[in-house]
Amino acid sequence: KPCRAVHFQQRLPTSAPFVFSKMPVRFSCTSFAPVGSRLAVIGNCPELGDWSLERAKMMEARLGQGRLQSEPDFHWVDVELPQAQQGVEYKFVEFCGGGGGVKWEETAGGNRHVVLDGERAGEVQLLPVEKFGTNATESDHTASFYSGVKQRGEISVRRVTSQIFIGSCPRSTQHIDYLRSLGITAIANFQSEDDCKRNCVAGMGMEENAQAVRGEYDRRGMQYIWMPTADMCSEGRTQMLPRASHTFAELLRAGHVIYSHCNAGVGRSVSAVCGYLTFVLGLTDRQMQHVVASSRPAAFFDFEALRRARPSFDGTFGKDVGTRAHIDDEFCKRRDATATTLSNTPPGTSRVRFSVAYATQHDDGSRVVVVGSCPELGSWDVRMALVMESCGPDFHVADVALPMPAGHKIDYKFVALSGDSERWEEFSIGCNRHLEGKGDEHVILPVARFGQLYGDQKQREEAMAVIVP
């Protein structure tokens, strides 16, 4: 129950009432509470119920009925608190299902305290993601979840963004087929060699050869990346993080959908995703924690490994990331500053602006075109494709009027032409770019990089939308 404290507050003159503006603050925690139980946050201010259970703020469960038997859930609620209010104390409570009463979390050191340190997503202030009433070690936390998954021969898969999944190791070819059915095209495995032999896909000889599973992925057209990393080892994660973060960036830019796994999908595979979100996309540790914990409540966060790995990543890949972001900003400015080449837009069409970064040689007549699945883009015939205007040797823009009613889809690619030669964009997952109509009069597409299906900004926007949709 709460550790109560007496707070003395200075009364404001009744003749001059003052109303403090409020701000949304996100309270969140992970809990192994059974399905059917509900969690709430309760505290020493009216907004948190003044320690009254009847007025506690009920929290939403992210996974709810869809979680595995031994899987924790992520619980959260946004509470409007006065901006100038200090000394707010709180705890999480569990309302047990089936009339089982109320369970107060027991925390060392008394109540929790609201400390606002400027971490936010949009207008929402983000407190750290807590664990309900526990300071369990990584080993204990993993065992609470994974022992049941392993015993039942399950696979636990959770989606973080449209291109990133985290989970436990597959144990059968049926599990691999399931991953493929989710649209996953690349497997990032962080198991050590001994892990692969003890926690393996049955029936293919992984007990003797940890690489035996590669053939199963090859037959399904899935890319397999094995980055063996010691389990329960912060130093091992520190060494793995720079390469893994960069590898994830390259795969995602190429359009791959990644499944990151170790044994349980709790430590090493989580760290790789955390490194990508922070090192490459620039999320803060707090933002990253909310993105990952809300998607993968079983996650364990090794903030110390991330801190130690950052200088190595910056020294090896960081210049590329920083330069890339600066160049992308410049390309966006050039795209927006370029005057349209359309004198008018026919009724029933939308003015669509394409732009791509690609270096050409002006003196040999090189040019870039947009070719696609509609007549306005040549119906995949390069001879009839939309020719782009060069804005310097490395950037190209084109406007076109397209019929784009809501839901209408167009596939397209960029093609570089030089003399009689054609260079088509090639994506490792063998697909096209897509444009879907939303009924807008003007459509300005993100600046594309030739041969890279998705930019980092798309990934960042998706990740942040996990916190605040």
Side-chain angles (χ1 to χ4, degrees):
K1 292 186 177 181
C3 302
R4 298 184 181 273
V6 177
H7 297 278
F8 297 93
Q9 296 182 339
Q10 181 180 0
R11 291 184 178 274
L12 295 174
T14 56
S15 58
F18 185 82
V19 178
F20 291 112
S21 59
K22 293 188 175 184
M23 58 187 171
V25 177
R26 178 157 301 179
F27 295 81
S28 61
C29 71
T30 58
S31 168
F32 284 93
V35 174
S37 299
R38 294 201 65 188
L39 266 64
V41 60
I42 188 170
N44 67 342
C45 62
E47 293 80 6
L48 297 177
D50 280 327
W51 298 119
S52 169
L53 289 172
E54 291 74 18
R55 299 198 302 275
K57 288 290 186 180
M58 303 304 296
M59 308 176 78
E60 295 187 37
R62 182 59 59 91
L63 302 183
Q65 300 287 337
R67 62 185 170 123
L68 300 179
Q69 184 176 332
S70 60
E71 188 175 18
D73 207 341
F74 176 83
H75 305 263
W76 65 280
V77 65
D78 292 341
V79 180
E80 297 278 344
L81 294 181
Q83 290 190 10
Q85 187 162 350
Q86 299 180 359
V88 177
E89 300 179 13
Y90 70 99
K91 279 191 173 182
F92 298 108
V93 293
E94 175 190 338
F95 290 85
C96 304
V102 178
K103 177 182 177 182
W104 291 73
E105 66 168 347
E106 297 180 5
T107 52
N111 302 325
R112 300 186 186 275
H113 298 265
V114 172
V115 178
L116 301 179
D117 50 11
E119 290 280 1
R120 65 175 62 207
E123 297 301 316
V124 179
Q125 302 282 332
L126 301 177
L127 298 177
V129 179
E130 307 288 0
K131 291 184 174 65
F132 183 90
T134 181
N135 290 311
T137 64
E138 179 183 3
S139 178
D140 292 340
H141 176 74
T142 302
S144 298
F145 162 65
Y146 185 54
S147 58
V149 173
K150 183 175 182 179
Q151 183 179 3
R152 294 185 296 272
E154 297 172 330
I155 184 170
S156 169
V157 181
R158 293 296 169 202
R159 184 175 79 97
V160 181
T161 69
S162 64
Q163 289 181 253
I164 302 174
F165 290 76
I166 302 176
S168 60
C169 59
R171 297 182 172 277
S172 67
T173 54
Q174 289 77 19
H175 288 168
I176 296 177
D177 288 335
Y178 172 64
L179 296 176
R180 189 170 183 272
S181 73
L182 296 174
I184 290 167
T185 61
I187 306 295
N189 178 11
F190 296 93
Q191 293 174 292
S192 67
E193 184 171 2
D194 286 343
D195 289 333
C196 289
K197 294 178 179 180
R198 293 195 304 267
N199 299 274
C200 59
V201 179
M204 63 181 61
M206 283 187 73
E207 295 85 351
E208 292 77 31
N209 178 11
Q211 289 273 34
V213 72
R214 183 180 296 275
E216 293 296 324
Y217 291 118
D218 288 344
R219 278 189 285 276
R220 291 164 174 81
M222 303 168 77
Q223 190 166 335
Y224 180 64
I225 303 100
W226 184 31
M227 289 178 271
T229 305
D231 195 11
M232 304 286 178
C233 177
S234 186
E235 180 57 32
R237 286 188 284 256
T238 300
Q239 296 176 14
M240 167 270 288
L241 273 164
R243 177 192 166 204
S245 302
H246 178 71
T247 299
F248 276 27
E250 293 298 299
L251 289 170
L252 293 168
R253 290 165 185 163
H256 277 288
V257 178
I258 300 174
Y259 182 59
S260 180
H261 83 80
C262 43
N263 285 338
V266 170
R268 292 164 286 182
S269 56
V270 166
S271 290
V273 173
C274 294
Y276 168 72
L277 293 175
T278 54
F279 297 172
V280 178
L281 300 189
L283 272 65
T284 67
D285 284 355
R286 186 77 50 78
Q287 291 169 339
M288 169 272 293
Q289 186 191 28
H290 276 262
V291 171
V292 176
S294 61
S295 308
R296 181 69 174 171
F300 174 83
F301 296 94
D302 191 343
F303 293 108
E304 182 61 21
L306 289 164
R307 183 189 65 80
R308 294 198 305 265
R310 187 63 185 254
S312 177
F313 177 85
D314 288 345
T316 307
F317 307 109
K319 183 178 180 180
D320 172 66
V321 172
T323 302
R324 182 186 183 92
H326 174 73
I327 292 175
D328 284 348
D329 286 342
E330 290 300 315
F331 282 147
C332 287
K333 293 176 182 177
R334 290 163 67 179
R335 174 200 62 190
D336 297 340
T338 303
T340 182
T341 57
L342 295 180
S343 57
N344 60 74
T345 304
T349 65
S350 301
R351 188 180 73 192
V352 180
R353 169 158 292 188
F354 295 90
S355 58
V356 63
Y358 180 75
T360 57
Q361 299 294 328
H362 282 295
D363 54 358
D364 64 359
S366 300
R367 62 197 186 280
V368 178
V369 301
V370 189
V371 65
S373 59
C374 61
E376 293 82 358
L377 299 181
S379 298
W380 296 116
D381 184 345
V382 170
R383 296 169 300 176
M384 305 298 292
L386 175 67
V387 179
M388 306 188 77
E389 176 184 350
S390 294
C391 302
D394 56 356
F395 189 63
H396 313 270
V397 174
D399 289 339
V400 63
L402 296 176
M404 293 299 296
H408 182 65
K409 296 181 180 180
I410 294 175
D411 285 4
Y412 68 98
K413 280 186 174 181
F414 297 104
V415 181
L417 304 178
S418 179
D420 295 331
S421 67
E422 301 175 1
R423 181 186 175 189
W424 289 65
E425 289 188 295
E426 293 184 5
F427 305 120
S428 54
I429 59 174
C431 70
N432 303 315
R433 297 184 185 273
H434 303 286
L435 172 61
E436 182 172 351
K438 298 181 180 179
D440 298 328
E441 183 178 355
H442 302 295
V443 179
I444 300 178
L445 297 175
V447 175
R449 284 177 175 262
F450 192 94
Q452 295 184 5
L453 192 56
Y454 298 121
D456 294 346
Q457 185 60 28
K458 171 188 177 292
Q459 306 297 334
R460 178 180 171 81
E461 289 173 357
E462 271 201 46
M464 293 302 292
V466 174
I467 309 175
V468 182

